[in-house]
Amino acid sequence: MFNTYEEALTWIHSRLALGIKPGLKRMEWMMKKLGHPERKFKSIHVAGTNGKGSTVTYLRSMLEAAGQTVGTFTSPYIESFNERISVNGEPISNEEILRLANLIYPYVMELDETPLGGPTEFEVVNSMMFQYFGEGHADVVIVEVGLGGLVDSTNVVTPIVSVITTIGYDHMHILGNTLAEIAYQKAGIIKAGVPVVTGKIPSEALTVIEKIAIEQDSLQSQFGKDFFVSKWQTLPTWGEQFTFEDDYICLRQAQISMLGEHQVENAAVALEALRIYSHETGLAVGHEHMLRGLKQAFWPGRMEKINEQPLIVMDGAHNEPAMIRLVETLKRDFPNQDIYVLFAALKDKSVDTMMAQLQTVQNMHLMVTTFDYPRAATGEELANQVAGPVEIVENWQTGLVKAVNEMDSSDVLLITGSLYFISEVRQYFKSEENN
């Protein structure tokens, strides 16, 4: 048992050495031991290759605007471990992490000795989350899938509505090498009779999702078929405006503070999921709640402006589909500026395709670097996967200073390649602000 938060966190992180062990048997065992807390609260379950975090944020913000106390479970964290389990955007306290770790610990030790094997870090944190929200700390909990869906640890929950944001190539060594195989894993969150909302998804993947939805008698709402976006425009004040419409509502001049067409699509998915959730539960959500919630929604590290002069932006694009959308945004919103890119990534990512996308941006100056994380690639390893001109900088702080010194007042510095990387950079900027 643990006496301090630090001891509890060290133990939780020690489970990381077990790696990823797909399957629900360990989680089902834990839930039974804990008295099935996952059945004691209303939830929305969100899967997808990209867009999960933003969609969760839009949903949370709109539900909060409607007067709900909203729990969220997200990963990875950007600033502190505790934010993975949050209520109305506020991470739970160190004391709660300590209490939950001590509560879970005996069961983890018992599970370690069974043929099922010990739970991973993600399974431990999942169990803590389910226990916490099973105690009644939120009106509704938005649960973000960790990896895939079918055998993800979160998939012991039966939600009011399921959401699949996007399908693209990522984690292929686990989820499969085709969009159809990946879609099959993501669609594993679809439960019998539970409606599912799908975002902008390629036809090859959508066919798989449709088949599973029919098998599960799950009513499917598709972006571009059952709900739509029109009159989309980028605002001069950093953000987007659009009209949302389905068979039941028309929401005009909706505004979001996050930049990019993909964020408009994420917001539309969140709106449709909220509309279905409110219908299923009888929750009254007015247009003003939706508009206010969307406008107030903020998710760090998604085209986040962290400095005005010079303009420094960070984006957590960490796979090819996310990089494609990021490049689209850069080309549309900064067509005439020189763009300096400080790039770092994990070794197991498709770095060559990500950087090939970046190199289609005109007037782009690419610097590769590394950061303090066990799976981070070195600058040299990244440079070896780049076809065009690239500069290696030993550490990202050096690259940051170098880029700022070379930039003109109209140029842009983009920091990207990994959510773990931008988490480290973001903490640096916050500490600088406080000094």
Side-chain angles (χ1 to χ4, degrees), residues 260-272:
E261 184 179 9
H262 57 295
Q263 291 295 0
V264 173
E265 293 162 8
N266 293 335
V269 167
L271 279 164
E272 184 69 359

Side-chain angles (χ1 to χ4, degrees), residues 31-338:
M31 292 301 98
K32 185 177 179 182
K33 287 286 184 178
L34 291 167
H36 289 291
E38 81 284 7
R39 299 175 184 172
K40 297 176 182 176
F41 54 85
K42 298 186 187 79
S43 64
I44 299 171
H45 202 189
V46 182
T49 303
N50 293 305
K52 295 188 296 292
S54 300
T55 302
V56 168
T57 302
Y58 291 129
L59 274 166
R60 172 179 69 78
S61 192
M62 289 188 289
L63 282 161
E64 276 184 53
Q68 295 287 284
T69 300
V70 188
T72 51
F73 179 67
T74 56
S75 61
Y77 61 86
I78 299 295
E79 290 178 12
S80 75
F81 171 85
N82 300 28
E83 72 193 49
R84 294 179 70 164
I85 306 171
S86 294
V87 177
N88 285 358
E90 288 297 317
I92 65 172
S93 67
N94 291 359
E95 290 75 21
E96 285 289 6
I97 294 289
L98 176 60
R99 178 181 72 83
L100 292 164
N102 277 323
L103 197 154
I104 297 293
Y105 179 79
Y107 300 118
V108 173
M109 293 299 101
E110 189 179 342
L111 185 53
D112 277 347
E113 301 304 314
T114 70
L116 294 172
T120 64
E121 177 185 27
F122 192 66
E123 288 169 332
V124 168
V125 180
N126 263 263
S127 300
M128 291 167 62
M129 176 271 293
F130 283 128
Q131 173 63 30
Y132 181 77
F133 289 123
E135 294 167 355
H137 298 287
D139 299 316
V140 53
V141 183
I142 311 168
V143 179
E144 180 187 320
V145 166
L147 178 62
L150 181 64
V151 291
D152 183 75
S153 311
T154 63
N155 206 27
V156 292
V157 76
T158 299
I160 303 295
V161 58
S162 305
V163 177
I164 303 173
T165 56
T166 59
I167 301 290
Y169 291 106
D170 197 17
H171 300 295
M172 281 101 80
H173 59 297
I174 295 171
L175 302 181
N177 293 313
T178 68
L179 289 180
E181 288 173 330
I182 295 168
Y184 178 78
Q185 291 294 324
K186 306 284 186 189
I189 70 164
I190 300 174
K191 304 294 196 304
V194 175
V196 59
V197 177
T198 52
K200 190 176 180 180
I201 290 174
S203 57
E204 179 188 346
L206 196 56
T207 301
V208 175
I209 295 169
E210 286 172 334
K211 182 174 182 292
I212 293 172
I214 290 167
E215 289 170 356
Q216 294 281 33
D217 194 25
S218 170
L219 182 65
Q220 187 184 1
S221 293
Q222 297 178 14
F223 179 88
K225 179 184 175 186
D226 302 295
F227 61 99
F228 308 87
V229 162
S230 61
K231 299 179 181 175
W232 162 53
Q233 59 176 318
T234 300
L235 299 167
T237 52
W238 198 273
E240 311 290 353
Q241 180 175 292
F242 61 96
T243 292
F244 169 88
E245 196 168 357
D246 64 10
D247 286 343
Y248 303 89
I249 59 174
C250 179
L251 197 67
R252 293 183 174 86
Q253 295 186 324
Q255 292 185 7
I256 55 173
S257 63
M258 291 189 256
L259 205 60
E261 184 179 9
H262 57 295
Q263 291 295 0
V264 173
E265 293 162 8
N266 293 335
V269 167
L271 279 164
E272 184 69 359
L274 176 62
R275 199 268 303 161
I276 293 171
Y277 177 85
S278 62
H279 174 76
E280 295 287 322
T281 61
L283 176 68
V285 182
H287 285 204
E288 69 279 6
H289 300 134
M290 296 175 181
L291 291 169
R292 185 166 79 249
L294 285 176
K295 197 167 186 178
Q296 291 175 344
F298 169 73
W299 189 233
R302 275 66 174 181
M303 281 304 286
E304 180 185 1
K305 180 166 56 174
I306 54 172
N307 197 71
E308 190 79 51
Q309 280 291 339
L311 180 57
I312 303 176
V313 178
M314 56 173 56
D315 190 272
H318 59 283
N319 52 35
E320 186 183 6
M323 194 58 73
I324 289 170
R325 304 312 297 267
L326 171 58
V327 165
E328 287 172 359
T329 303
L330 292 174
K331 289 177 177 178
R332 190 186 68 248
D333 293 337
F334 308 104
N336 303 315
Q337 287 103 313
D338 275 23

